[in-house]
Amino acid sequence: SKEMLRVVVLLLGISTTAGFLAPSPAALRLPSAGSAASIALSSRTTSRTLSSSPSLLATNMVMTPVGYGKHHLSKERRAELEATAKAVATFGKGITACDEGPGTIGDRFQNVGIENSEENRRLYRQMLFTAKDAEQYLSAAILDPETVYQKDDNGVPFPELLAAKGIVPGVKPHLKVYQIPGGRPQETVMQGLDSLNVRAAEYYAAGCRFAKWRSPLTIGADGDISDLCIKANMEDLARYALICQSEGLMPIVEPDIVLLGDYDLETAVDVNTKVQAALYKSMVDHGVWMEGSTLKPNMVNPGKACPKTYTCEEIGEATIAVLRRVMPAAMRGVNFLSGGQSLENAAARLSSINKAKGNSPWNLSFSVRIGLNPQA
C-alpha cells in the first residue's frame, strides 16, 4: 500500500540522513505491482507488523556499513576492538580513572602527608588494584603511562594484574593542553598526537587494550564555543581514535565541557549537541570503526555559576536528549566523567540519567576517580 511504502521510505531516510548507514541495492528494490497487491496491508496492520517483528527490517532492508575503517582494519582487528568496547560497557560496572600524572598525584599526596616518590605512587596504585572485590564493580582502569610499566610486590605488571581480575587495562596517551593561538583565552587543544602510533604500539605490547583522550572545552560568556575550537578538538579526537585503532587500542573519546560559567541547562543542551555531532562526523569522516570505540563525556549540566537550580531528573533528561539526537547506536557504551561534581551529586545524576534512558541502546555508566580525591 502507499502507506507501507511511505513508512519504508521514511525509515530509509532516517537511516541514511545521519550518514552512518547506506542502503544496499537490494534494500532499494521494491515489489512488483502484482506482489504489492498480494501483500497490501492497512496502515494499522503495517505498524503492528513492523513493531512486532524487529527482524523484518533487518531481513528486507540490508544495510551496508560506510566509513567505519573497513578499508584499513582487518576483520580480526575490528572484532578485537569491538570486544574491548563490549567489555568496558559491561552492565553494572564502570571505569576507574587512575591516570593522574606524577605532578597531579603529588599534590594529593602532599594534602595527606605522603612523600611523592615513584615507590609511593606504585604502592598507592597497588592498593587500589588489589582492593577486595574491585572486579565486581569495575570493568576498566585508565592508567598513567608510568603506572603501565610498574609491577606489584610479586613482580606482576599492573596491566597483567588487572586483566587477570577481569578489569580491562587502558592508558592516557595525551600530554598537556595548549592555548589555540589567536583563539579565545579559554580555548585550547590537547597535545600528544606526534609519535602516538609508536607509543600506542608500546602500550599495547605492555598489555593495555584501550586508550583515553580528553579534550577540555569551555563555554564562553556568549553561551557558545567557537567553531574553530570545536573543529580543532573534534578532529584531534578523531585522529587519535584512528591511530589507536590501527595499533589495537580501543579509543575512548572524551569531549569534556567544563562547568565554568553561568550558562543554563538549555544552553548546555545546545552546545553539547553541537560538540558531539561534530565529534561523530569527524570520527566517521576519518574512518574510525565506531563499534570499536567508547564515549566518555560530561553529564549535561548548567554552569556552576548558573543562578537557576535544576533537579537531577532535569539533568538526566537533558543528557539523554543530547545522546538521542546525535550519538550513533553502533557505539556500545557511555561512561560519564564526574569532574566538577561531588560524588553524591554525580551518583544521583547518573541514576537519573539511567531512569530517563528508556529504550536507548547504550550502556550508561561511570568513570570516576577514586582514592585520595573526594571530589571525584
Side-chain angles (χ1 to χ4, degrees):
S1 68
K2 290 184 178 180
E3 179 64 14
M4 181 177 182
L5 180 59
R6 187 187 70 81
V7 171
V8 172
V9 171
L10 188 60
L11 285 169
L12 279 171
I14 291 171
S15 297
T16 57
T17 300
F20 303 129
L21 295 173
S24 68
L28 298 178
R29 286 199 292 269
L30 299 176
S32 64
S35 62
S38 67
I39 62 171
L41 300 170
S42 69
S43 60
R44 180 179 300 178
T45 304
T46 300
S47 300
R48 184 170 62 248
T49 302
L50 287 173
S51 63
S52 62
S53 304
S55 62
L56 180 63
L57 293 178
T59 301
N60 296 329
M61 298 164 59
V62 179
M63 298 297 184
T64 303
V66 175
Y68 286 96
K70 188 175 182 180
H71 58 288
H72 72 280
L73 292 175
S74 67
K75 180 179 179 180
E76 292 75 19
R77 176 54 54 82
R78 296 198 306 271
E80 179 185 17
L81 293 168
E82 190 169 354
T84 300
K86 181 179 179 180
V88 173
T90 299
F91 178 76
K93 297 184 179 183
I95 299 173
T96 176
C98 307
D99 56 342
E100 307 103 320
T104 302
I105 198 70
D107 293 338
R108 293 170 182 161
F109 277 0
Q110 183 178 9
N111 291 337
V112 293
I114 298 175
E115 179 188 358
N116 183 21
S117 65
E118 181 177 354
E119 175 61 9
N120 280 340
R121 293 193 294 272
R122 185 193 72 82
L123 290 171
Y124 173 60
R125 303 304 190 194
Q126 177 177 258
M127 176 185 68
L128 296 177
F129 301 154
T130 57
K132 183 180 179 182
D133 298 330
E135 62 274 16
Q136 294 185 20
Y137 310 101
L138 299 177
S139 62
I142 307 170
L143 311 181
D144 181 74
E146 178 186 71
T147 313
V148 171
Y149 298 103
Q150 290 178 327
K151 302 176 180 179
D152 70 5
D153 290 343
N154 297 318
V156 179
F158 283 144
E160 182 179 338
L161 173 68
L162 289 165
K165 295 167 73 71
I167 301 173
V168 184
V171 64
K172 174 194 70 179
H174 63 70
L175 303 178
K176 300 292 184 180
V177 293
Y178 175 72
Q179 174 71 37
I180 298 177
R184 300 177 182 180
Q186 72 273 20
E187 294 190 336
T188 61
V189 289
M190 187 66 74
Q191 299 179 86
L193 287 175
D194 290 349
S195 75
L196 177 59
N197 62 318
V198 175
R199 287 180 287 123
E202 293 173 347
Y203 297 143
Y204 184 91
C208 294
R209 289 299 176 264
F210 73 89
K212 185 273 297 185
W213 185 287
R214 175 177 179 259
S215 289
L217 301 160
T218 302
I219 296 177
D222 61 348
D224 206 354
I225 302 172
S226 73
D227 292 342
L228 169 64
C229 183
I230 293 174
K231 181 179 176 63
N233 279 278
M234 297 310 103
E235 291 195 348
D236 278 0
L237 279 171
R239 280 191 290 270
Y240 139 80
L242 188 70
I243 293 169
C244 284
Q245 287 188 336
S246 70
E247 301 300 334
L249 297 179
M250 188 277 293
I252 294 180
V253 290
E254 182 180 343
D256 178 11
I257 298 178
V258 300
L259 299 180
L260 297 176
D262 61 358
Y263 56 90
D264 57 21
L265 187 60
E266 292 75 14
T267 299
V269 168
D270 290 344
V271 175
N272 275 271
T273 299
K274 182 166 70 170
V275 167
Q276 288 192 32
L279 170 62
Y280 306 132
K281 184 180 187 305
S282 292
M283 292 173 73
V284 172
D285 287 348
H286 279 74
V288 174
W289 179 253
M290 302 300 282
E291 289 88 339
S293 61
T294 296
L295 178 67
K296 184 176 181 284
N298 54 278
M299 298 176 184
V300 180
N301 279 307
K304 277 193 171 182
C306 178
K308 183 176 179 180
T309 301
Y310 296 88
T311 66
C312 288
E313 289 73 22
E314 288 173 316
I315 290 172
E317 291 169 359
T319 301
I320 291 297
V322 171
L323 294 179
R324 284 181 174 168
R325 289 171 186 174
V326 293
M327 186 176 179
M331 298 176 72
R332 288 184 175 273
V334 181
N335 291 84
F336 293 99
L337 60 92
S338 53
Q341 307 171 83
S342 68
L343 185 58
E344 292 78 10
N345 283 343
R349 290 165 182 169
L350 179 59
S351 176
S352 294
I353 290 170
N354 273 284
K355 290 176 182 176
K357 174 183 176 180
N359 63 351
S360 300
W362 316 285
N363 183 67
L364 308 178
S365 190
F366 62 85
S367 175
V368 64
R369 200 178 305 281
I370 57 178
L372 294 174
N373 185 12
Q375 297 298 319

